[in-house]
Amino acid sequence: MKKWWTATGLVAAGAMMLAGCSGSDGGSSSGEDGETTLTAWAWNVNVGALEDAMALYQEENPNVTIEVEDIGRLDVYDKLSTGLAAGGVGLPDIVLVEDDRIGGYAQAFPDGFVNLSDMGFEDNVDQFPSFKQDLATVNDSFYAMPFDAGPGGMFYRRSIFEEAGVNPDDIETWDDFLEAGKQIKDATGVAAMPLDKFNDDPTFRMMLNQLGTYYFDENGNIDLTSPEAVMAMEKQMEFEEAGLIKEVDGWNGTVSATIDGSVATIPFGAWYYGTIIDQAQDTSGDWGVFLLPAFEEGGNRASNLGGSSWMIPSGGDNEEAAYDFLEFFSTSPEAQVIAMEDYGLFPSLNSAYEEEIFTSEDEFFGGQKIWELFANEMADVETPYYTEDYAIGLDEAIKAQADSFNGTPPAEALQAAAERLAERTEREINN
C-alpha cells in the first residue's frame, strides 16, 4: 500500500428543492488540433484517483487530458446545485456524487445529467453488485457510473481480544458480541465500540442495511418504525445499558479512540483501514477485521457504509468524451486497483476482486486477507433506499437515537421520528 488518507464523505446535508434545468457551458475545451480537455469536480483522494485513471486512459487516447478541481465535498454540492438551478451554467464535464445524493439530484434536475443508459452503459451493469446498480439508477435508467463502496466490518484490536480470551471467530451474532464485549470490559476495562451518540448513527445505519431496511423503503415510504428498525435500535441500547459504548465527539473522537486503544472494535466501512494505518502507525500487526455480527444465527452479515459514483452534467461540449473516459475508469480493473492501493477507495467493479491484492495477506492486519473478506460480502449487500429526502431522514434518525440514549424506549423514539419525518416530507409511514 502506498498512500492512504483519513477522511471519507458520508453525511448529506439539506434537501434539494429546485427543479428543472437544461444546457451547460461545459467548462471544457476541444482544441482545433483534436485535443480534448475534460473538466471535473471531486474532492480529497478522489482527485488523485481520477488523474491516475486519465494517465492510463491516455496510453490509448493521448489527445485527451483532464483538469480536476479539488473544491471540497460540500463545496462541490453547493456549486453543482447552483449551476443546475441556473440551467447548467459553469458546470464541469464530470462530477463526483455520493450514492445517497444521486437520486435526489436526478429527480430534482431531471434534465441536468446525461442518461447513461442512452449512451450504452447498460452493457456494463452486470460488472457491479446489485446494490450499486440500484443506487445509480433513476426511473429505470442509469445516471451514474458506480465507483467506490464501503463494505462494512468490525475493525478490532487483537491484543485486547487476546487479553480477554475472546476469539473473534466465535462471534457470529450481535448477542455473541454483546457477551464478548462484557468479557472484554471485565478483563481490560475497554469499551466494545465508539459512537457519537447524539450526532451520528453509522452503526444503526449498518444494522438497518444488513436487515434489509433503511429510513425509507423501495416505494419511498418511511420505514423507521419497522420491526427491523426497532430491533436494531434496541440492540444498540443493550450495548449502552451494559456500559459497552464509549461516547466520542465526532470523527476526531473516533480516531482518538482508535489510536489510544480505548475501544476493542470500530464498526465502519472498509475505507477506515486508511485512517488506522495513517493515524495508528505503531499498532501494525495488532489489527484484524470480522464482518458485522448477524441478528440471528445464520443471518445476513453484509453491510455497506458510504460510497460514490460519477455523473455527467448534460449540455456540455464533451459529453461523449466524458462518457468514454468514465466508462474506461469504471470498468478497468487496473484503474480501480490503483485507486484502492494508492487512495483507499474500495472498488465496486467485480472483476477487480480477481486481482492479486484481494488474495494477499495484509501485514498491518496480522497477515489477514482483509480485502478478500470485504470483497466477498459485496454481492450480499442490500440496497438502501435513500430518496431525495435522505438528509431529513438522517436528521430524524439521529434524533431518535439521541432520544433513546436519553431514556426514551426505542420504539417510541422511532415512532416520534417517523411522524416528524412524515410532516417534513409529506411521505407515508409504513404500518
Side-chain angles (χ1 to χ4, degrees):
M1 299 283 169
K2 298 177 184 176
K3 50 187 175 183
W4 292 77
W5 297 73
T6 62
T8 184
L10 194 60
V11 179
M16 293 165 289
M17 303 302 292
L18 299 169
C21 71
S22 62
S24 170
D25 69 2
S28 55
S29 61
S30 297
E32 294 181 0
D33 57 1
E35 293 189 357
T36 299
T37 299
L38 300 175
T39 57
W41 291 350
W43 59 86
N44 202 352
V45 293
N46 302 283
V47 174
L50 199 62
E51 291 172 338
D52 286 356
M54 176 57 75
L56 281 179
Y57 182 73
Q58 287 174 329
E59 293 177 5
E60 299 293 333
N61 302 273
N63 293 329
V64 182
T65 59
I66 194 166
E67 295 179 354
V68 189
E69 189 174 357
D70 184 355
I71 53 178
R73 182 175 66 89
L74 296 181
D75 289 337
V76 164
Y77 296 133
D78 287 343
K79 292 185 67 173
L80 181 59
S81 297
T82 300
L84 289 167
V89 175
L91 296 181
D93 297 307
I94 295 166
V95 62
L96 181 69
V97 178
E98 289 164 298
D99 290 340
D100 56 51
R101 292 182 180 244
I102 293 171
Y105 269 118
Q107 291 177 18
F109 303 101
D111 299 318
F113 298 92
V114 171
N115 184 322
L116 303 179
S117 293
D118 292 344
M119 302 283 281
F121 194 68
E122 297 281 356
D123 294 339
N124 300 306
V125 298
D126 289 341
Q127 299 187 59
F128 305 97
S130 60
F131 82 98
K132 288 290 287 191
Q133 294 181 39
D134 291 341
L135 293 172
T137 305
V138 179
N139 297 327
D140 299 322
S141 292
F142 279 85
Y143 282 88
M145 293 191 195
F147 181 35
D148 70 308
M154 308 287 284
F155 295 92
Y156 74 94
R157 292 288 285 265
R158 293 179 181 273
S159 58
I160 294 174
F161 271 59
E162 290 170 1
E163 182 180 348
V166 173
N167 183 350
D169 294 337
D170 295 334
I171 299 174
E172 297 183 6
T173 67
W174 283 104
D175 286 340
D176 292 340
F177 185 49
L178 181 66
E179 294 308 310
K182 293 176 181 177
Q183 187 173 332
I184 289 171
K185 184 71 177 292
D186 290 343
T188 68
V190 171
M193 54 187 173
L195 183 65
D196 188 346
K197 300 176 183 178
F198 303 99
N199 296 293
D200 199 7
D201 69 339
T203 306
F204 180 60
R205 265 179 282 154
M206 286 192 289
M207 287 177 165
L208 292 181
N209 190 205
Q210 70 176 144
L211 288 168
T213 186
Y214 220 68
Y215 305 154
F216 307 98
D217 69 5
E218 186 175 4
N219 299 314
N221 294 327
I222 297 168
D223 218 23
L224 278 176
T225 57
S226 68
E228 293 82 4
V230 174
M231 179 168 60
M233 190 68 79
E234 288 179 341
K235 186 60 63 180
Q236 192 167 249
M237 292 311 301
E238 288 182 34
F239 281 82
E240 169 69 3
E241 291 162 3
L244 300 180
I245 296 179
K246 176 177 180 176
E247 184 174 358
V248 296
D249 183 12
W251 174 263
N252 290 336
T254 299
V255 173
S256 294
T258 301
I259 296 170
D260 65 23
S262 57
V263 292
T265 74
I266 302 98
F268 254 152
W271 39 262
Y272 197 66
Y273 172 97
T275 299
I276 294 174
I277 69 167
D278 181 68
Q279 297 292 313
Q281 297 177 8
D282 60 351
T283 61
S284 179
D286 193 31
W287 289 93
V289 183
F290 58 94
L291 294 179
L292 259 65
F295 276 84
E296 59 185 16
E297 200 76 33
N300 182 39
R301 300 184 66 176
S303 63
N304 183 78
L305 189 69
S308 58
S309 300
W310 300 102
M311 301 182 77
I312 302 175
S314 61
D317 296 330
N318 294 322
E319 287 182 7
E320 291 187 6
Y323 175 87
D324 192 66
F325 166 61
L326 284 183
E327 183 181 42
F328 164 80
F329 186 14
S330 298
T331 61
S332 165
E334 183 179 4
Q336 293 295 309
V337 168
I338 288 173
M340 178 174 160
E341 286 191 311
D342 288 8
Y343 304 103
L345 297 164
F346 193 92
S348 299
L349 182 66
N350 293 333
S351 56
Y353 307 148
E354 299 173 6
E355 300 296 312
E356 182 180 357
I357 185 174
F358 288 94
T359 57
S360 299
E361 298 178 350
D362 191 286
E363 181 180 350
F364 201 98
F365 274 64
Q368 184 180 356
K369 297 180 180 180
I370 64 171
W371 304 118
E372 185 176 58
L373 177 144
F374 285 125
N376 287 342
E377 71 173 302
M378 288 286 283
D380 296 323
V381 174
E382 300 280 354
T383 301
Y385 295 101
Y386 294 117
T387 81
E388 64 268 32
D389 291 322
Y390 170 71
I392 305 175
L394 174 66
D395 181 52
E396 293 298 347
I398 291 173
K399 290 177 182 176
Q401 176 177 276
D403 288 344
S404 294
F405 279 111
N406 280 327
T408 302
E412 292 181 20
L414 289 166
Q415 180 66 41
E419 291 172 2
R420 293 192 302 268
L421 185 54
E423 184 175 351
R424 294 174 69 181
T425 64
E426 299 184 351
R427 293 179 180 272
E428 297 291 327
I429 301 174
N430 285 329
N431 295 321

